[in-house]
């Protein structure tokens, strides 16, 4: 019986070379020509000597987003073992993520490990923290927009569509209708603290857990992929439960916020989706929170610096 090849991987560089395939997989693998719209390539210097030895090159290619561009390549049909070997071959500058080919087929591809570095058109969805509440300058999202657009004013765009009070359920329901007019290549979901809130009017025995997180993120991942956009999940931020107490009929606790953080991180790891952990910049810095939940302007600056370091 022939060996199963359940994984389709789009290659645009050295993995198309039969010599590299033989070195990694023991033989050349089945492949077919394919193209990836909305992307261009840029050179990436390589210093890993084992990778240089396998490819014979010290400069590889990396994908970056560019509206209207197309990258030509091939889809490789890989076994589980082949895919593991390809993962080990790629240097830390790359991560494996889902992309949508020009044909409409969803496949794996190795993309920039820093998800905002290669982005051009970013849509931000989320809650009041992403919206910029308590900061007259628009919060971390406005600072991200300023630096991103300054990098390439002609082609870079940031659309902040966050709505105060939103949960991930709300965001997953609202986002599909928002994307087409903005033509995003990156959907940045600011997973704030609202999903961890406990409604005070509901008895503890009837309070919902965090089971909905995976369903909401599944929906957002499918929505982003349908637009050939990369899903990036940021958050949650630290909460100072000593100051939040009861807030608009809700109770926020650090324990629940940590559970939300774990749920998001676990889902992202399992689904090969980027997670930008926003917990540390505000942790134990109660002076950077207005009310225990919403960052001060300096708190938003700290979040923006942290986001830049992780994503760019």
């Amino acid at each position: 019986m022939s060996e199963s090849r359940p994984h389709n991987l789009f290659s645009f560089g050295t993995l198309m070379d039969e010599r590299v395939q033989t070195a990694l997989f023991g033989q050349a693998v089945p492949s077919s020509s394919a193209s990836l719209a909305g992307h261009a390539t840029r050179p990436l210097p390589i210093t890993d000597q084992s990778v240089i030895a396998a490819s014979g090159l010290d400069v590889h290619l990396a994908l970056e987003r560019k509206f209207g561009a197309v990258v030509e390549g091939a889809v490789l049909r890989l076994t589980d073992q082949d895919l593991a070997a390809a993962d080990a071959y790629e240097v830390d500058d790359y991560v494996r993520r889902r992309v949508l080919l020009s044909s409409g087929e969803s496949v794996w591809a190795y993309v920039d490990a820093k998800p905002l570095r290669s982005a051009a058109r970013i849509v931000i969805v989320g809650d009041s923290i992403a919206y910029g509440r308590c900061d007259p300058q628009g919060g971390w999202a406005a600072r991200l927009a300023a630096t991103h657009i300054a990098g390439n004013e002609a082609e870079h765009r940031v659309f902040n569509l966050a709505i105060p009070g939103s949960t991930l359920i709300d965001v997953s329901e609202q986002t599909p209708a928002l994307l087409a007019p903005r033509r995003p290549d990156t959907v940045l979901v600011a997973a704030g603290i609202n999903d961890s809130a406990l409604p005070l009017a509901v008895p503890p025995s009837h309070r919902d857990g965090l089971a909905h997180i995976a369903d909401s993120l599944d929906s957002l991942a499918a929505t982003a992929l349908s637009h050939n956009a990369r899903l990036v999940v940021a958050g949650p931020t630290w909460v100072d439960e000593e100051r939040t107490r009861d807030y608009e009929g809700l109770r926020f606790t650090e324990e629940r916020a940590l559970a939300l953080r774990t749920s998001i991180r676990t889902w992202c790891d399992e689904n090969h989706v980027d997670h930008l952990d926003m917990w540390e910049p505000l942790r134990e810095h109660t002076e950077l929170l207005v009310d225990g939940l919403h960052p001060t302007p300096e708190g938003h600056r700290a979040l923006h610096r942290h986001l830049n370091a992780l994503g760019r």
Side-chain angles (χ1 to χ4, degrees):
M1 185 168 59
S2 62
E3 188 176 19
S4 172
R5 295 187 179 276
H7 303 290
N8 295 333
L9 172 70
F10 177 72
S11 174
F12 51 93
T14 59
L15 283 176
M16 292 190 293
D17 189 325
E18 288 191 5
R19 294 172 302 170
V20 175
Q21 293 179 13
T22 301
L24 294 180
F25 314 133
Q27 61 183 340
V29 297
S31 64
S32 58
S33 297
S35 62
L36 181 61
H39 292 74
T41 61
R42 59 177 172 80
L44 177 69
I46 301 296
T47 58
D48 189 313
Q49 293 303 310
S50 64
V51 175
I52 294 173
S55 67
L57 300 170
D58 60 4
V59 177
H60 290 192
L61 295 177
L63 290 172
E64 61 183 9
R65 299 309 299 247
K66 186 175 180 63
F67 183 74
V70 177
V71 173
E72 300 293 339
V75 172
L76 311 183
R77 317 296 177 184
L78 304 180
T79 65
D80 291 341
Q81 185 176 357
D82 293 338
L83 189 63
D87 285 348
Y89 167 73
E90 299 294 345
V91 296
D92 290 344
D93 296 271
Y94 298 99
V95 290
R96 177 161 51 87
R97 299 291 182 257
R98 282 282 174 187
V99 298
L100 198 65
L101 297 177
S102 303
S103 65
E105 181 184 6
S106 170
V107 299
W108 293 114
Y110 291 106
V111 300
D112 195 324
K114 289 202 168 186
L116 303 183
R117 180 167 56 188
S118 58
R121 302 175 65 89
I122 303 172
V123 163
I124 299 172
V125 290
D127 60 8
S128 57
I129 296 176
Y131 177 80
R133 182 174 170 182
C134 300
D135 182 4
Q137 295 184 343
W140 65 258
R143 291 171 170 81
L144 171 65
T147 56
H148 184 67
I149 294 171
N152 185 340
E153 201 282 331
E155 297 183 7
H156 286 186
R157 297 289 183 271
V158 175
F159 305 92
N160 187 1
L161 308 180
I163 300 174
S166 292
T167 63
L168 281 175
I169 292 176
D170 299 326
V171 170
S172 67
E173 293 174 349
Q174 296 159 357
T175 299
L178 302 175
L179 298 189
R182 279 97 184 171
R183 302 177 303 188
D185 55 58
T186 304
V187 177
L188 176 55
V189 177
I193 209 68
N194 292 326
D195 288 273
S196 72
L198 294 172
L200 297 176
V202 179
S205 59
H206 291 78
R207 290 174 182 168
D208 187 19
L210 296 173
H212 67 282
I213 297 298
D215 290 339
S216 297
L217 292 175
D218 284 344
S219 176
L220 285 162
T223 296
L225 185 60
S226 71
H227 290 268
N228 198 17
R230 183 173 180 175
L231 181 66
V232 181
V233 184
T237 54
W238 179 69
V239 54
D240 181 4
E241 64 179 82
E242 294 301 317
R243 295 180 61 201
T244 60
R245 299 295 181 179
D246 301 343
Y247 184 86
E248 297 183 358
L250 301 173
R251 169 64 58 85
F252 294 88
T253 69
E254 184 171 340
E255 179 182 11
R256 287 275 296 184
L258 282 169
L260 172 63
R261 182 190 185 204
T262 298
S263 294
I264 292 171
R265 183 164 48 196
T266 299
W267 183 90
C268 288
D269 288 344
E270 292 175 349
N271 290 275
H272 291 267
V273 169
D274 300 280
H275 176 226
L276 305 181
D277 190 359
M278 303 289 277
W279 188 264
E280 290 302 320
L282 304 182
R283 185 169 67 92
E284 306 299 335
H285 290 287
T286 188
E287 76 282 2
L288 296 180
L289 296 172
V290 173
D291 51 13
L293 289 175
H294 298 96
T296 64
E298 183 53 43
H300 277 288
R301 280 190 284 272
L303 290 175
H304 174 237
R305 289 192 296 269
H306 183 71
L307 190 69
N308 259 349
L310 290 177
R312 301 179 68 85

